[in-house]
Amino acid sequence: MKNRLTALIVLAVAIAANAFAASAQTETVSVSDPEGITTVTVGTDNGKAWYSISHGEKLNLPASRLGLMTNAFDWTSVELKGMEKEEVGIDYTMNRTKASKVSHSASKGTVTFENPKGEKLYVEFVVSRNDVAFRYRLPKEGETGSVRVMDELTEFNFPEGDDVVSYLTPQSDAMIGWKRTKPSYEEYYGVAKPLSEKSQYGHGYTFPCLFKVGENGWVLVSETGVDGSYCGSRLSDSRFDHNKGTYSYKIEYPMPEENNGNGTSEPGIALPGTTPWRTVTLGEDLAPIVETTVAWDVVEPLYETAHDYKFGKGTWSWIVWQDASINYEDQCRYIDLAAAMNFQYVLVDNWWDTNIGRERIADLVAYARSKGIDVFLWYSSSGWWNDIEQGPINVMSNPISRKKEMRWMHELGVKGIKVDFFGGDKQETMRHYEAILSDADDNGLMCIFHGCTLPRGWEKMYPNYVGSEAVRASENLVFSQYECNQEAQAACLHPFIRNTVGSMEFGGCFMNEKLSKNNQRGTTRRTTDVFQIATCVLFQNPIQNFALAPNNLEDAPEVCLDFLREVPTTWDETRYIDGLPGEHVALARRSGDTWYIAAINATEQTKEYKVADMMAELKGRDVRIYEGGNSPVIREVEAKKLGKATVSVPQNDGVVIVFKAE
Ligand code: CA
């Protein structure tokens, strides 16, 4: 295994001209992963740069445009000059995602293009067995020290076909929704839609974007390494090319209307500089999608921390008890609940500045710490970009007030913040996320974001980053019966899409049947108790703020409460077992030497599994099975009897199987 870092071997510095081709337009270069499974080919067609990707025998993504237009340089028409190749080791550890140790080798191909003025543009491709990451690198060759990127031609193209379908969530209009805070990555997904379908708002789709290319395989498109030096991007609506029979999705930058029109859509970069990485994950089945680590493979930590951040579990009163619970007495009850559950954190949500006040927050933190619980405090991101009144407002948006506030929190012993309602992907907003993260780390504070963009490699880039909402999260189950009716389908999407590339602060696991205070009124949960605990394994965030309420200590099954006390929130390894997005899912996650398998089902057809077949390599271990829907029970099965053990998962139900450490 060539997995040591900096195993740099220059393999070729030449154009691999196709001597048998009739046309000069067929001059191409290519780079394959070390096993030769995935190949990226790059060429030009009448000055138009393109790349294509093949994976295995059958999965082929057709030629897709490359190119940049900046306010200083025009790289929309270029000549291909060559490709330099080297082998690189991808070798690192993480402490807060779906995998703790990543080690594999990849091939890096750096393509040189030159425009008619002789100005060079580089495109770097990092090709692993199932992942391609690529970015543009802009040199500084003259006086020009900075550019604005006015347009990016990058496309992701797919072949047409009745069985080629998408799983996408639209970008919303800007400045709509609650207090004009959108877009915030909280839209519905289209499930197995034809590529010809247009997006709900006409603004294309937010990352990550999943495609099924018929029987040939699955493709996930996303991006990573976005920090304050660029904007977040998205995919356009599809455009059909009748000559080529392909659907094109183009990279789009933020809409001008985002953030109340403040800040530019077009990112500025200092030269020399790079764009973020765009990523394509390819697999014959969904395993490479569920298991991918590409979001972290190609990024590096942006600063070192002096702090030892601990992940774990928390309670938050707001999700079930809502705004009325943000008072001193109710927060003490949720601190007591966290302590009774052996959790580590309590999240005090919006309005604490008015309804508790800063002086009594000091008392509350002291009370929490006397119970062994640490505190997260909520803030609005605002700001001059929305109408949010929920306090505290206008603290995080100003560096002077932000730093003063964070020093105050540090003195009190507050351990983290949840910052809400960002509403945009402009570079200006990415700078805001980064400024909050950087200042927070100076004060030993972890950061959760809600009403926000997708994290793009942030678990590795920012040592104090915890997780982001960026999904139609648990609050919608409280707000709407429709969402409860659709809960199972939505939950069967996230392990294949949203949660594959970044931590997902879903805030779920309800034990109430009625999603309101005291379990009497409100929306009705359609999924079972075991379904709920299965989502604690299926949904990954390094701190899980569960939707428990104090009454659950009396009315929820002890089997479930005990499971929540022990379930890990960070994982050493993740494996796909079975499933189809929006229908059903079964996956396995390892913590130490213990494997947790969780399965849920949204379809009418009950899913049946032979337990021994789900993780064949684990035979010889005793297992504990959580099953029984709303009357949950534990079934212990000894290793020697595992061969005959089966589980069944009806609609809206789930199962959790724990393969105990040997
Ligand atoms: Ca939200």
Side-chain angles (χ1 to χ4, degrees), residues 55-293:
H55 172 80
E57 300 292 312
K58 292 185 290 186
L59 189 52
N60 294 297
L61 297 187
S64 305
R65 279 300 306 270
L66 294 168
L68 286 184
M69 169 69 96
T70 76
N71 64 349
F73 309 103
D74 178 350
W75 287 299
T76 59
S77 179
V78 293
E79 197 179 318
L80 175 62
K81 305 303 282 188
M83 175 189 267
E84 282 193 34
K85 294 195 253 190
E86 63 195 71
E87 193 164 315
V88 293
I90 293 173
D91 215 331
Y92 60 95
T93 58
M94 286 190 295
N95 62 1
R96 75 194 69 178
T97 60
K98 62 173 136 175
S100 61
K101 175 99 184 78
V102 178
S103 182
H104 63 266
S105 52
S107 304
K108 182 174 178 184
T110 301
V111 180
T112 305
F113 291 113
E114 203 172 274
N115 71 12
K117 292 182 178 171
E119 294 155 343
K120 286 190 176 63
L121 173 70
Y122 304 97
V123 186
E124 300 173 352
F125 290 90
V126 175
V127 186
S128 304
R129 189 181 203 282
N130 293 98
D131 298 293
V132 174
F134 66 97
R135 68 177 179 182
Y136 298 93
R137 180 154 59 80
L138 289 63
K140 181 173 189 293
E141 290 184 331
E143 291 289 302
T144 306
S146 65
V147 294
R148 268 174 81 190
V149 182
M150 307 308 287
D151 191 22
E152 182 173 332
L153 306 186
T154 312
E155 288 176 346
F156 300 85
N157 291 356
F158 293 88
E160 72 172 322
D162 291 343
D163 55 355
V164 181
V165 294
S166 70
Y167 299 76
L168 305 174
T169 185
Q171 175 66 315
S172 83
D173 287 333
M175 303 305 292
I176 63 166
W178 174 249
K179 303 287 184 187
R180 298 195 299 159
T181 54
K182 285 191 178 188
S184 48
Y185 290 61
E186 297 182 2
E187 308 306 313
Y188 294 106
Y189 278 86
V191 178
K193 297 292 186 187
L195 304 198
S196 56
E197 190 165 300
K198 295 300 170 193
S199 66
Q200 182 183 349
Y201 298 93
H203 306 307
Y205 306 95
T206 55
F207 291 127
C209 298
L210 181 66
F211 299 87
K212 183 174 195 287
V213 187
E215 295 304 306
N216 296 335
W218 295 84
V219 178
L220 185 79
V221 180
S222 192
E223 73 174 346
T224 191
V226 178
D227 58 18
S229 64
Y230 220 78
C231 62
S233 301
R234 67 183 196 280
L235 291 188
S236 69
D237 268 330
S238 67
R239 181 180 55 79
F240 185 61
D241 185 321
H242 289 274
N243 294 326
K244 295 175 181 159
T246 56
Y247 284 95
S248 297
Y249 296 83
K250 179 183 171 295
I251 285 283
E252 295 284 357
Y253 292 157
M255 303 171 284
E257 300 80 13
E258 290 177 34
N259 296 90
N260 210 11
N262 296 294
T264 63
S265 296
E266 304 86 6
I269 42 180
L271 301 181
T274 58
T275 68
W277 296 96
R278 305 291 159 38
T279 64
V280 183
T281 301
L282 311 100
E284 282 147 34
D285 63 18
L286 285 158
I289 310 291
V290 170
E291 297 166 15
T292 185
T293 55

Side-chain angles (χ1 to χ4, degrees), residues 186 420 450-451 469 475:
E186 297 182 2
D420 209 337
H450 267 231
E469 185 182 34
E475 61 190 4

